[in-house]
Amino acid sequence: CPSCGLTRSVLLSLSGDWALATTYHPLGPSIVTLCLLGLLFVWSPSVVHAAVNTKLSYVREYKRGAGELFVSVYAFWGFFLR
């Protein structure tokens, strides 16, 4: 949307300017962080396995859920903010 500043905030967060990003919209850095963690969780189960210290089968169970969450957030963002 042209007035909320979320797109500018997300782009500034991706470029590394987190302080200015929060002035445009406070949720921008949070969205970027959640998306990056979602990508890490979906594409790198070994890192998640080492960080959480659980069985690999546990990671596989939730890998699908994290991927679906990432896709639905991305689809919601693309559909309502186009």
Side-chain angles (χ1 to χ4, degrees), residues 13-57:
S13 297
L14 288 172
S15 68
D17 196 353
W18 293 79
L20 186 58
T22 55
T23 61
Y24 278 108
H25 199 288
L27 290 177
S30 301
I31 290 172
V32 169
T33 303
L34 287 174
C35 288
L36 291 176
L37 287 174
L39 286 174
L40 176 71
F41 189 73
V42 169
W43 287 334
S44 182
S46 61
V47 172
V48 174
H49 174 68
V52 180
N53 196 14
T54 59
K55 295 179 182 178
L56 191 55
S57 62

Side-chain angles (χ1 to χ4, degrees), residues 41-79:
F41 189 73
V42 169
W43 287 334
S44 182
S46 61
V47 172
V48 174
H49 174 68
V52 180
N53 196 14
T54 59
K55 295 179 182 178
L56 191 55
S57 62
Y58 176 78
V59 173
R60 286 186 186 138
E61 289 175 19
Y62 290 99
K63 183 178 174 182
R64 180 177 175 204
E68 290 172 354
L69 176 66
F70 177 74
V71 168
S72 20
V73 167
Y74 187 73
F76 174 81
W77 187 25
F79 181 73

